[in-house]
Each structure stands twice: as C-alpha cells, then as structure tokens.
Amino acid sequence: MLDPNIIYDVVIVGGGVSGAAAAYALSRYDLKVALVEKNADFAFGVTKANSGIIHAGFHHDLSSLKSRLEIQGNMMFDELCLKLGFPFKRCGIVVAAFSENEMTVVRKLYERGIANSVPGIELCDRKRLLKLEALLKPEVVGGLFAPNGGVIEPYAYAFALIEAAEVNGLHIRREFEVSGAWFDGGNWNVRTTDERTIKARFVVNAAGLYADKVSEIFGGEEFTISPRKGEEYLLDRNSPARPERVIFPVPTPDSKGTLVIPTVEGTTMIGPTAEMVEDKEDESTSDDNLHRIIKLADKMVPGIDIRSIITSFSGLRPTLPGDDFFIAPSKSVPNFIQVAGIQSPGLTASPAIGEYVKDILKKQGLPMIEKNDYQAFIPKTERVRRVSRERLAELIAENPAYGNIVCRCENISEAEIVAAIRHGHTTLDGVKFYTRAGMGRCQGGFCSGKIIEIIHRETGIPINKITKRGGGSRLLYGRLSEMKHEAAVMEV
C-alpha cells in the first residue's frame, strides 16, 4: 500500500508489463518505489490482450530502439522464468512462404536476423520446414526458423514481476488514476481523481494507451497515442490445428499478418487483425473479422474449425508516429521519464525496457545502491495442473483446498483461487488472469459463481459489489444480490 507520508524516490504510473518491469529492475536497489495503476488490477490494459509471443528479433533492423530492446529482452526470459516461475516456453518461430515471391521476402528477414545476431536462425526449404512444423499445409515452399522465439502468459508474467518487486519493498496501489501533478522544486506531487496525493523525486510514465494524457498532466512532451486494434480468437485445447511452433505468414509492409500461436498453456490462438481506431476503449470484435482470420490462418494450417473457438477478444496497441518506442527523460519538465509507444514487440522487450529505465534514472542522478537482502527467487503458488499425483496428495494433506477443483476446464483448485485473492486480485478477471480459472471451454460458465463466493468469503466484499474487472462491471444486481450465497451461485 502507498504511504502518503513517504517521499518516494520513484513513482511508476502504469501497471502493464513496462511499468512492472521497471518496478522489478528498481527493486534490486535501496530505493523507495511505488507502482500505481488506474484499473482495478495490474495488467488490465494493453497487457491483458497481448498475443503472448516472445519475438525472435528478425522483423526490425537495429536502427530502431524497439529492435535493440527486443533482442536484449528475449535473452532475459530464461533467467526470469527460473526466478519468478511464470509460464514460458521457447517453442520457436517459423515464417511460412507459399510462393517464390514470398521466399524473396523471407530471405531478407533471414539476412536481417543474421545482422541482428539472432541465435540459430535458419533459412529453410520445404522439407526442412515441414519437419519443423508438420501441421503446415504441403503447399509451403520454404521459410525461416528462429528457435529462440517462444510463448508466454503475459498477465502471469506481469503479476510475477510485481510480486517479486513487492517482496523486495515495492509499494503498490490499484485504482489510482492520476488527475493532476505539480513539481515543487524538488519533488513531484501526484494527485488522483479522488484527491489523494503522493510525492516522488522521479516519475516514470508507463501509462500505455494513456501515456499521452499522463504526459499532458505533468507538462511533458505533446504527442498522440493512436490505438491499433488487434482481434484474436482462441481455440479449444483439443483443436487438431494446434502447431508445435508459432507460425507467422510472410509479413507485408503494414503488418506481421495473421498468426497461429500454440499458447504456453495448451490452447491455440489465431490472429491478430491490425486496424487503426480512434476509441481507446474499443475492445469489440466482429463476425466479419472472425471469418477473415479463420480464412487467413487456414492458408497455413488446415483444420481450423469455427466450432473450436471458445472466445474472442481484442487488444489495443499504443502506437506513435514512426512506430518506435519513446523512452527518454522529458525535455519539457524535470525528473519525468517517458515510456510511451510500447507496441509489438513490447512484451519481448519489456525486461530490457525495465533495465533501460533504471539506467536513465541512474544517469539522471538517482543513486543505485544494491540491497544486501535482495530476494531473487519468490515463493510460487503450486498449480494442480502441473504437479504429479504424488505431489498433489501431499498438497491436499497440507491444505485440503487443493482437493476442491473449482474450475474443471482448466483444473484449478480452491487453494489457487484463494492465493490469487490474497495477492490482491479481487475481481473475477483478476482471479482469472492469475489462475486461468474461467479460461477453458465453458469460459467460466460453471466456476464463476463459486469464485464470486470465495472472493466474498476471503475479503468480505458484499456479493453485489464484486465486479468482473472493476468500475461499473458489477456481476449481480437487485434482489438476486440479496439472496443467500448458495442461490446466487446457482443463478450466475
């Protein structure tokens, strides 16, 4: 929790992967750091609807900051996964070409990958590519393979970064929307919409889609974040169209194209679209785009059945003119660091973004003294779906809640739900992103009511005040909310 009596060394505005990575990087040092997020939970903005790909580093040349940080960030995930325990797999990336003209583009990608020192990158003929990914249509003529690419669960990764930083002294606050700020000569005074104020020597603007608004509030640079919407569609884990590798088409000048992604937790994702929109809250999907995405994905991998789709969602990527990251000290106001325009490959780059922000703050005069008691490894909540039968028996003996399966689709126990709530995730979506409860075939149809009841039991939040994702997204209204909990659970 925030302490209004403390003058923080750094306040980070925005709890997506960029803000979380900056908080994590700074947590190694003897600093007072706070992370604030306007939503009901962290990772509820750009991060939550990410494709979850760890890019390999061959799409952009080294003239861009995002490419340099992408390559650096990619190499950091193995150690981070070991220390923090989030789901991550280096399954590799293939780019599939279906004509000689497309192979011309693939060769340029390969040459760029060589120039960027992408490890193990291969230019593949048809036989090699089909050996690497047997699900590709036989019409494929060749392509590219980058073994260092992978997949990750982006919200689990963000939560892990924040938990690790919190163990090492980070102060956090959800539902903290910045509405005003002024510099008093030595410190920033940061005010929220409900008139709370905290002080900090430095402020980091990692506000995603709203980084332009936050910059305006602080008197920083004027720029406009334009949202690029990407619709994604998730297939059941039993779909026969699940590949071994992330499959990219040959990119166009405007887009990396429609992908087929074997997610780290066993489902398959197809998408995204790439459409510039004006509304930063437009998370709609459309039937037209669904059929277009299926058609494009089917050109690479056969067997994608519309009946296998269990959910759809869209994400908004914060773009700037020039399409590069903007990470730099403000030239307009003191002690204000911009972290804006973090679109793809922002997830891959995020660990390096955290280090980059830390180095900027050091150059700006913030002392960096490493902690003697820094805790590199954090305790991990054991997951029923990942443990052996023998270990599960031990867990149930220690905590019988491990034997109560709340989410049958994803095999999530009551103990895991309780752990999520005790880590501060008190909305239905917060619990879902922390545990995967509600992400399976039935999309929460059987477990949502049980989760609501557990949230109420653990927090004391009235049943009719529990929300899906904060704000006005209440789940129960009227007379239903006044009934006994058992009846409410049956009605949800």
Side-chain angles (χ1 to χ4, degrees):
M1 294 293 288
L2 296 184
D3 187 339
N5 299 313
I6 289 177
I7 297 178
Y8 289 97
D9 295 297
V10 184
V11 165
I12 302 165
V13 179
V17 290
S18 296
Y24 177 76
L26 292 170
S27 69
R28 298 196 305 271
Y29 301 92
D30 189 16
L31 298 168
K32 296 181 180 67
V33 182
L35 176 65
V36 299
E37 166 60 47
K38 75 169 187 173
N39 289 310
D41 210 339
F42 301 108
F44 268 20
V46 176
T47 297
K48 78 175 188 309
N50 193 287
S51 296
I53 298 168
I54 300 305
H55 290 270
F58 56 79
H59 276 106
H60 311 282
D61 64 52
L62 293 178
S63 63
S64 65
L65 177 61
K66 68 180 180 182
S67 182
R68 298 193 297 273
L69 293 179
E70 170 193 4
I71 292 165
Q72 180 186 344
N74 175 293
M75 295 185 292
M76 298 171 72
F77 273 95
D78 299 280
E79 183 178 352
L80 283 170
C81 179
L82 177 65
K83 289 178 177 178
L84 307 184
F86 53 84
F88 166 61
K89 182 180 180 181
R90 285 198 189 275
C91 59
I93 290 171
V94 298
V95 179
F98 288 86
S99 70
E100 286 303 323
N101 285 339
E102 288 190 339
M103 277 303 297
T104 301
V105 179
V106 167
R107 291 185 185 96
K108 292 179 181 177
L109 293 176
Y110 172 74
E111 291 168 2
R112 184 175 296 144
I114 292 294
N116 292 356
S117 300
V118 173
I121 192 168
E122 291 183 44
L123 189 63
C124 304
D125 61 15
R126 176 180 179 275
K127 183 178 179 181
R128 172 61 174 157
L129 208 62
L130 287 171
K131 184 177 180 180
L132 288 165
E133 183 46 69
L135 275 190
L136 283 168
K137 280 193 168 179
E139 292 85 356
V140 70
V141 300
L144 178 151
F145 174 51
N148 67 322
V151 286
I152 194 173
E153 209 167 45
Y155 23 85
Y157 161 62
F159 291 161
L161 290 172
I162 293 168
E163 283 181 29
E166 194 175 10
V167 164
N168 288 288
L170 175 71
H171 288 199
I172 63 174
R173 184 62 188 247
R174 300 165 174 87
E175 297 182 310
F176 188 105
E177 183 173 358
V178 175
S179 64
W182 63 95
F183 194 69
D184 63 13
N187 301 299
W188 280 105
N189 296 263
V190 184
R191 187 179 64 229
T192 69
T193 51
D194 60 3
E195 300 301 320
R196 288 170 291 160
T197 302
I198 57 171
K199 289 191 173 189
R201 293 177 60 194
F202 290 87
V203 172
V204 174
N205 175 18
L209 287 165
Y210 294 92
D212 49 0
K213 179 181 176 182
V214 170
S215 184
E216 180 183 359
I217 289 170
F218 281 83
E221 283 75 8
E222 293 184 10
F223 54 88
T224 299
I225 295 288
S226 299
R228 181 184 291 134
K229 185 167 74 169
E231 296 183 27
E232 308 264 15
Y233 299 87
L234 195 67
L235 310 182
D236 191 350
R237 61 177 66 247
N238 296 321
S239 170
R242 176 178 170 81
E244 292 294 319
R245 325 279 182 185
V246 177
I247 302 175
F248 278 76
V250 175
T252 68
D254 301 318
S255 171
K256 294 185 178 77
T258 294
L259 285 58
V260 182
I261 306 163
T263 73
V264 73
E265 288 287 7
T267 53
T268 302
M269 190 184 303
I270 56 174
T273 57
E275 175 190 3
M276 299 305 297
V277 296
E278 294 183 4
D279 184 358
K280 293 182 180 181
E281 301 295 326
D282 178 5
E283 296 180 353
S284 62
T285 58
S286 72
D287 191 59
D288 286 347
N289 278 333
L290 165 61
H291 287 91
R292 185 165 67 89
I293 290 295
I294 290 176
K295 184 177 180 180
L296 290 170
D298 188 68
K299 288 182 177 179
M300 299 184 295
V301 174
I304 296 174
D305 187 341
I306 194 169
R307 291 171 296 182
S308 296
I309 293 175
I310 59 175
T311 192
S312 63
F313 60 91
S314 65
L316 297 169
R317 289 156 273 182
T319 69
L320 285 170
D323 269 352
D324 203 357
F325 298 166
F326 173 30
I327 309 176
S330 173
K331 295 179 180 178
S332 303
V333 289
N335 297 10
F336 185 68
I337 314 302
Q338 303 278 18
V339 184
I342 311 300
Q343 57 162 316
S344 178
L347 176 65
T348 308
S350 59
I353 289 172
E355 292 296 317
Y356 196 82
V357 170
K358 180 260 294 180
D359 290 342
I360 288 173
L361 287 164
K362 185 176 181 179
K363 290 176 183 176
Q364 292 288 302
L366 187 64
M368 297 283 175
I369 301 171
E370 293 194 15
K371 292 175 179 173
N372 294 324
D373 58 349
Y374 177 71
Q375 188 172 330
F377 292 81
I378 63 170
K380 304 172 183 67
T381 301
E382 294 202 69
R383 309 294 187 181
V384 167
R385 64 189 180 278
R386 295 186 194 146
V387 300
S388 66
R389 290 185 178 182
E390 294 75 17
R391 179 55 185 153
L392 180 57
E394 292 173 358
L395 289 172
I396 293 171
E398 296 166 8
N399 180 359
Y402 270 106
N404 178 20
I405 300 302
V406 174
C407 175
R408 290 179 286 175
C409 297
E410 293 294 306
N411 203 21
I412 312 298
S413 68
E414 179 185 353
E416 294 161 73
I417 304 294
V418 170
I421 295 165
R422 292 180 180 176
H423 278 97
H425 307 292
T426 58
T427 65
L428 200 61
D429 277 359
V431 170
K432 178 173 75 172
F433 293 149
Y434 191 88
T435 65
R436 290 190 60 80
M439 288 192 178
R441 179 80 214 185
C442 82
Q443 288 292 293
F446 287 97
C447 64
S448 292
K450 296 176 184 178
I451 295 169
I452 290 168
E453 188 176 28
I454 296 169
I455 292 172
H456 167 73
R457 184 192 74 202
E458 292 294 317
T459 65
I461 299 172
I463 288 282
N464 65 337
K465 299 293 185 184
I466 294 171
T467 65
K468 185 180 189 300
R469 53 179 300 180
S473 61
R474 286 169 55 190
L475 294 158
L476 298 171
Y477 288 86
R479 291 187 60 235
L480 181 61
S481 67
E482 301 168 6
M483 296 179 183
K484 290 184 179 179
H485 299 161
E486 291 85 358
V489 169
M490 290 176 64
E491 291 285 343
V492 171

